[in-house]
Amino acid sequence: MTDPVLPDLWLDWCAVTGTPVDRRDEATLGRFVLQAAPSRKLLNTLRLAPLATAPAWPPALRGDATALSQLVHGGTSRINDPDVHWITRLRLRRLVFAAVLLAPANQGGLGLSRIQARGLTPGRLQSLRPVIGRTADEASCPACAVWSWLDVIGTNNDWSQDALRALGHHRDPAGGEVHRHERDDPSHGWLDWPDHPNLLPAIDQWGYLDRYGSLHPSSLSSLVHAIETLADARIAPARPASVEPVSAPPRITAEEEAAILARADELNARVARILKEYS
Protein backbone atom coordinates (compact mmCIF):
# COMPACT_ATOMS: atom_id res chain seq x y z
CA MET A 1 0.00 0.00 0.00
CA THR A 2 1.30 3.47 -0.96
CA ASP A 3 1.87 5.93 1.86
CA PRO A 4 -0.30 9.07 1.74
CA VAL A 5 1.98 12.03 1.01
CA LEU A 6 1.19 15.52 2.26
CA PRO A 7 2.21 18.32 -0.12
CA ASP A 8 5.68 19.76 0.41
CA LEU A 9 4.32 23.32 0.40
CA TRP A 10 2.11 22.42 3.36
CA LEU A 11 4.99 20.78 5.23
CA ASP A 12 7.23 23.80 4.64
CA TRP A 13 4.54 26.23 5.80
CA CYS A 14 3.89 24.16 8.92
CA ALA A 15 7.61 24.15 9.71
CA VAL A 16 7.93 27.92 9.29
CA THR A 17 4.78 28.75 11.28
CA GLY A 18 5.12 25.99 13.89
CA THR A 19 1.76 24.49 12.91
CA PRO A 20 1.22 20.74 13.50
CA VAL A 21 0.86 19.05 10.10
CA ASP A 22 -2.40 17.38 11.15
CA ARG A 23 -4.08 20.64 12.17
CA ARG A 24 -6.21 21.20 9.08
CA ASP A 25 -9.29 23.01 10.34
CA GLU A 26 -10.72 25.77 8.14
CA ALA A 27 -9.19 28.60 10.18
CA THR A 28 -5.70 27.08 9.80
CA LEU A 29 -6.22 26.39 6.10
CA GLY A 30 -7.40 30.00 5.70
CA ARG A 31 -4.09 31.29 7.09
CA PHE A 32 -2.27 28.85 4.83
CA VAL A 33 -4.11 30.21 1.77
CA LEU A 34 -3.30 33.83 2.67
CA GLN A 35 0.37 33.19 3.38
CA ALA A 36 1.32 30.45 0.90
CA ALA A 37 -1.21 30.88 -1.96
CA PRO A 38 -1.66 27.14 -2.65
CA SER A 39 -3.51 25.87 -5.71
CA ARG A 40 -7.12 24.74 -5.35
CA LYS A 41 -6.03 21.17 -6.11
CA LEU A 42 -3.46 21.24 -3.30
CA LEU A 43 -6.01 22.66 -0.90
CA ASN A 44 -8.50 19.91 -1.76
CA THR A 45 -5.76 17.34 -1.21
CA LEU A 46 -5.25 18.66 2.32
CA ARG A 47 -8.96 18.64 3.07
CA LEU A 48 -9.38 15.06 1.87
CA ALA A 49 -6.15 13.62 3.28
CA PRO A 50 -6.54 11.40 6.37
CA LEU A 51 -5.76 13.18 9.61
CA ALA A 52 -3.57 10.31 10.75
CA THR A 53 0.00 11.49 10.25
CA ALA A 54 3.32 9.64 10.20
CA PRO A 55 2.14 6.82 7.88
CA ALA A 56 5.40 4.88 8.20
CA TRP A 57 5.56 5.02 12.01
CA PRO A 58 4.87 1.60 13.61
CA PRO A 59 1.24 1.46 14.82
CA ALA A 60 2.31 -0.03 18.15
CA LEU A 61 4.21 3.20 18.96
CA ARG A 62 1.49 5.70 18.01
CA GLY A 63 -0.32 5.86 21.35
CA ASP A 64 2.71 6.75 23.46
CA ALA A 65 3.71 10.42 23.30
CA THR A 66 7.15 9.53 24.71
CA ALA A 67 7.87 6.69 22.26
CA LEU A 68 10.35 8.65 20.13
CA SER A 69 12.30 10.12 23.06
CA GLN A 70 12.51 6.69 24.68
CA LEU A 71 13.67 5.17 21.40
CA VAL A 72 16.33 7.89 21.02
CA HIS A 73 17.47 7.13 24.55
CA GLY A 74 17.70 3.41 23.78
CA GLY A 75 19.65 4.10 20.59
CA THR A 76 22.00 6.48 22.41
CA SER A 77 22.65 3.84 25.08
CA ARG A 78 23.69 1.34 22.41
CA ILE A 79 25.78 3.93 20.54
CA ASN A 80 27.63 4.60 23.80
CA ASP A 81 28.23 0.91 24.49
CA PRO A 82 32.01 0.41 24.05
CA ASP A 83 31.42 -3.14 22.81
CA VAL A 84 29.37 -2.00 19.79
CA HIS A 85 31.30 -2.22 16.49
CA TRP A 86 31.95 1.15 14.84
CA ILE A 87 29.98 0.26 11.69
CA THR A 88 27.00 -0.83 13.79
CA ARG A 89 27.32 2.46 15.66
CA LEU A 90 27.02 4.36 12.36
CA ARG A 91 23.95 2.31 11.43
CA LEU A 92 22.40 3.01 14.82
CA ARG A 93 22.86 6.75 14.28
CA ARG A 94 21.13 6.43 10.91
CA LEU A 95 18.35 4.36 12.49
CA VAL A 96 17.64 6.95 15.17
CA PHE A 97 17.76 9.73 12.55
CA ALA A 98 15.24 7.83 10.42
CA ALA A 99 13.02 7.43 13.49
CA VAL A 100 12.97 11.22 13.95
CA LEU A 101 11.95 11.66 10.30
CA LEU A 102 9.13 9.13 10.54
CA ALA A 103 7.75 9.72 14.06
CA PRO A 104 4.58 11.82 14.45
CA ALA A 105 4.75 15.48 15.36
CA ASN A 106 3.22 14.95 18.81
CA GLN A 107 6.25 12.79 19.67
CA GLY A 108 8.79 15.30 18.35
CA GLY A 109 9.24 13.80 14.87
CA LEU A 110 8.50 15.11 11.38
CA GLY A 111 5.82 12.57 10.43
CA LEU A 112 7.24 11.95 6.96
CA SER A 113 6.18 9.08 4.71
CA ARG A 114 8.74 6.64 3.33
CA ILE A 115 8.74 8.51 0.02
CA GLN A 116 9.33 11.86 1.70
CA ALA A 117 12.07 10.47 3.96
CA ARG A 118 13.96 8.91 1.04
CA GLY A 119 13.68 12.10 -1.00
CA LEU A 120 14.47 14.51 1.84
CA THR A 121 17.00 17.13 0.75
CA PRO A 122 19.38 19.03 3.03
CA GLY A 123 17.58 22.29 2.27
CA ARG A 124 14.19 20.90 3.22
CA LEU A 125 15.57 19.31 6.41
CA GLN A 126 17.11 22.63 7.39
CA SER A 127 13.70 24.31 7.12
CA LEU A 128 12.06 21.54 9.17
CA ARG A 129 14.63 21.34 11.97
CA PRO A 130 12.98 24.01 14.18
CA VAL A 131 9.95 21.76 14.75
CA ILE A 132 11.95 18.66 15.73
CA GLY A 133 11.42 17.76 19.38
CA ARG A 134 13.73 18.71 22.23
CA THR A 135 13.98 17.10 25.65
CA ALA A 136 15.71 18.12 28.85
CA ASP A 137 17.75 14.90 28.75
CA GLU A 138 20.32 15.12 25.95
CA ALA A 139 20.45 11.34 25.57
CA SER A 140 16.72 11.33 24.72
CA CYS A 141 16.70 14.46 22.56
CA PRO A 142 15.55 13.96 18.93
CA ALA A 143 17.22 17.22 17.83
CA CYS A 144 20.54 16.01 19.25
CA ALA A 145 20.19 12.68 17.44
CA VAL A 146 19.73 14.57 14.16
CA TRP A 147 22.81 16.69 14.92
CA SER A 148 24.92 13.56 15.42
CA TRP A 149 23.80 12.02 12.12
CA LEU A 150 24.54 15.28 10.27
CA ASP A 151 28.04 15.02 11.73
CA VAL A 152 28.34 11.63 10.01
CA ILE A 153 26.98 12.98 6.71
CA GLY A 154 29.36 15.94 6.77
CA THR A 155 32.32 13.67 7.50
CA ASN A 156 31.33 11.38 4.63
CA ASN A 157 31.36 14.36 2.28
CA ASP A 158 35.11 14.70 2.82
CA TRP A 159 35.68 11.26 1.27
CA SER A 160 37.88 10.30 4.20
CA GLN A 161 37.22 6.75 5.38
CA ASP A 162 39.69 7.19 8.22
CA ALA A 163 37.73 10.20 9.49
CA LEU A 164 34.47 8.30 9.16
CA ARG A 165 35.92 5.33 11.04
CA ALA A 166 37.08 7.65 13.81
CA LEU A 167 33.60 9.14 14.04
CA GLY A 168 32.14 5.63 14.11
CA HIS A 169 34.21 4.95 17.21
CA HIS A 170 33.01 8.21 18.77
CA ARG A 171 30.26 8.15 21.38
CA ASP A 172 27.86 10.86 22.50
CA PRO A 173 28.70 11.79 26.08
CA ALA A 174 25.88 13.71 27.70
CA GLY A 175 25.87 16.14 30.56
CA GLY A 176 27.62 19.09 28.94
CA GLU A 177 26.65 22.70 29.44
CA VAL A 178 24.64 22.74 26.20
CA HIS A 179 22.96 20.08 24.10
CA ARG A 180 24.57 19.04 20.83
CA HIS A 181 21.74 20.62 18.84
CA GLU A 182 22.45 23.98 20.49
CA ARG A 183 26.00 24.01 19.14
CA ASP A 184 26.97 25.18 15.69
CA ASP A 185 26.37 22.58 13.01
CA PRO A 186 29.29 20.17 12.58
CA SER A 187 31.79 21.47 10.03
CA HIS A 188 34.41 19.40 8.23
CA GLY A 189 35.87 21.76 5.67
CA TRP A 190 34.66 23.11 2.38
CA LEU A 191 32.07 20.33 1.97
CA ASP A 192 29.63 19.94 4.86
CA TRP A 193 26.35 18.15 5.40
CA PRO A 194 24.19 20.64 3.42
CA ASP A 195 26.23 19.68 0.34
CA HIS A 196 25.59 15.95 0.73
CA PRO A 197 23.26 14.72 -2.06
CA ASN A 198 21.21 12.39 0.14
CA LEU A 199 20.46 12.03 3.84
CA LEU A 200 19.49 8.35 4.16
CA PRO A 201 22.34 6.51 2.42
CA ALA A 202 23.11 2.81 2.44
CA ILE A 203 26.08 1.73 4.59
CA ASP A 204 28.02 -1.24 3.20
CA GLN A 205 29.83 -3.97 5.11
CA TRP A 206 33.05 -1.91 5.24
CA GLY A 207 31.36 1.19 6.60
CA TYR A 208 31.23 3.17 3.37
CA LEU A 209 28.21 5.47 2.92
CA ASP A 210 26.63 5.78 -0.50
CA ARG A 211 26.92 9.48 -1.37
CA TYR A 212 24.48 9.49 -4.27
CA GLY A 213 21.74 6.94 -3.65
CA SER A 214 19.18 6.78 -0.86
CA LEU A 215 18.20 3.55 0.85
CA HIS A 216 16.15 1.18 -1.27
CA PRO A 217 12.46 1.23 -0.21
CA SER A 218 12.71 -2.34 1.10
CA SER A 219 15.75 -1.38 3.17
CA LEU A 220 13.88 1.57 4.66
CA SER A 221 11.00 -0.77 5.50
CA SER A 222 13.53 -2.95 7.30
CA LEU A 223 14.71 0.08 9.26
CA VAL A 224 11.09 0.58 10.35
CA HIS A 225 11.14 -3.03 11.56
CA ALA A 226 14.39 -2.32 13.42
CA ILE A 227 12.72 0.70 15.04
CA GLU A 228 10.01 -1.60 16.36
CA THR A 229 12.65 -4.00 17.68
CA LEU A 230 14.61 -1.20 19.35
CA ALA A 231 11.40 0.09 20.91
CA ASP A 232 10.66 -3.42 22.18
CA ALA A 233 14.07 -3.40 23.84
CA ARG A 234 12.91 -0.59 26.14
CA ILE A 235 11.45 -3.23 28.43
CA ALA A 236 14.93 -4.60 29.12
CA PRO A 237 16.74 -2.45 31.72
CA ALA A 238 20.37 -1.54 31.31
CA ARG A 239 23.00 -3.89 32.71
CA PRO A 240 23.76 -3.12 36.33
CA ALA A 241 26.94 -1.23 37.13
CA SER A 242 29.99 -3.37 37.81
CA VAL A 243 30.37 -1.87 41.29
CA GLU A 244 27.30 -1.70 43.55
CA PRO A 245 27.23 0.10 46.90
CA VAL A 246 27.80 -2.39 49.67
CA SER A 247 24.69 -1.27 51.50
CA ALA A 248 22.42 -1.48 48.46
CA PRO A 249 19.78 -4.14 49.03
CA PRO A 250 19.29 -6.76 46.32
CA ARG A 251 16.43 -5.81 44.05
CA ILE A 252 16.18 -8.95 41.93
CA THR A 253 17.26 -12.54 42.27
CA ALA A 254 20.19 -13.99 40.34
CA GLU A 255 17.75 -15.99 38.19
CA GLU A 256 15.71 -12.87 37.39
CA GLU A 257 18.85 -10.91 36.55
CA ALA A 258 20.06 -13.66 34.23
CA ALA A 259 16.71 -13.72 32.45
CA ILE A 260 16.67 -9.92 32.05
CA LEU A 261 20.20 -9.81 30.67
CA ALA A 262 19.50 -12.70 28.32
CA ARG A 263 16.47 -10.81 27.02
CA ALA A 264 18.54 -7.65 26.55
CA ASP A 265 21.24 -9.59 24.69
CA GLU A 266 18.61 -11.18 22.46
CA LEU A 267 17.07 -7.84 21.54
CA ASN A 268 20.46 -6.20 20.97
CA ALA A 269 21.43 -9.08 18.69
CA ARG A 270 18.18 -8.73 16.74
CA VAL A 271 18.76 -5.00 16.17
CA ALA A 272 22.36 -5.59 15.09
CA ARG A 273 21.32 -8.43 12.75
CA ILE A 274 18.66 -6.30 11.07
CA LEU A 275 21.03 -3.36 10.63
CA LYS A 276 23.72 -5.60 9.15
CA GLU A 277 21.39 -7.46 6.79
CA TYR A 278 19.76 -4.33 5.40
CA SER A 279 22.69 -1.92 5.34
Side-chain angles (χ1 to χ4, degrees):
M1 178 174 148
T2 303
D3 290 332
V5 179
L6 292 174
D8 288 335
L9 180 62
W10 170 253
L11 294 175
D12 286 342
W13 181 81
C14 289
V16 171
T17 61
T19 303
V21 295
D22 58 347
R23 182 183 295 167
R24 279 175 267 155
D25 56 87
E26 287 305 316
T28 301
L29 291 178
R31 292 197 303 274
F32 175 58
V33 169
L34 289 174
Q35 297 174 3
S39 67
R40 181 172 298 179
K41 180 180 178 180
L42 188 150
L43 202 57
N44 287 335
T45 297
L46 288 175
R47 286 193 172 105
L48 296 174
L51 286 180
T53 57
W57 192 240
L61 304 181
R62 293 182 186 275
D64 183 356
T66 66
L68 177 60
S69 60
Q70 291 189 54
L71 189 140
V72 171
H73 190 278
T76 301
S77 296
R78 285 157 178 77
I79 289 168
N80 287 337
D81 186 340
D83 294 329
V84 169
H85 191 272
W86 70 272
I87 296 177
T88 299
R89 191 172 283 126
L90 290 179
R91 290 172 176 160
L92 281 166
R93 291 189 196 280
R94 182 189 59 185
L95 173 67
V96 176
F97 172 73
V100 176
L101 300 187
L102 302 178
N106 70 333
Q107 295 183 15
L110 295 178
L112 302 184
S113 69
R114 287 175 173 84
I115 294 173
Q116 290 171 324
R118 291 184 66 245
L120 185 66
T121 63
R124 186 166 301 285
L125 175 61
Q126 192 70 293
S127 70
L128 293 172
R129 285 176 74 186
V131 300
I132 293 173
R134 275 85 167 145
T135 63
D137 175 23
E138 187 176 359
S140 305
C141 181
C144 287
V146 169
W147 191 98
S148 289
W149 177 244
L150 297 182
D151 196 11
V152 173
I153 291 292
T155 301
N156 190 57
N157 227 3
D158 273 346
W159 290 88
S160 171
Q161 183 64 2
D162 288 341
L164 197 62
R165 179 189 292 268
L167 187 57
H169 283 286
H170 178 72
R171 287 169 276 171
D172 291 328
E177 293 184 2
V178 297
H179 281 213
R180 277 165 282 152
H181 75 261
E182 296 174 333
R183 307 172 193 165
D184 292 336
D185 274 355
S187 179
H188 302 278
W190 66 280
L191 282 178
D192 289 323
W193 78 264
D195 303 299
H196 203 275
N198 63 320
L199 297 178
L200 274 179
I203 304 175
D204 69 15
Q205 59 183 322
W206 297 283
Y208 285 96
L209 276 67
D210 185 345
R211 292 189 73 248
Y212 298 107
S214 295
L215 279 173
H216 189 274
S218 64
S219 297
L220 182 53
S221 295
S222 298
L223 277 189
V224 174
H225 177 54
I227 287 170
E228 291 185 89
T229 302
L230 185 58
D232 187 30
R234 290 179 300 169
I235 65 173
R239 291 178 180 272
S242 56
V243 178
E244 292 282 351
V246 175
S247 59
R251 291 172 290 179
I252 57 175
T253 67
E255 292 78 8
E256 290 172 333
E257 179 181 342
I260 291 171
L261 295 181
R263 173 65 170 157
D265 288 340
E266 176 193 348
L267 289 167
N268 285 336
R270 283 171 57 195
V271 172
R273 186 166 58 251
I274 292 170
L275 292 172
K276 183 177 181 179
E277 183 176 356
Y278 297 97
S279 61

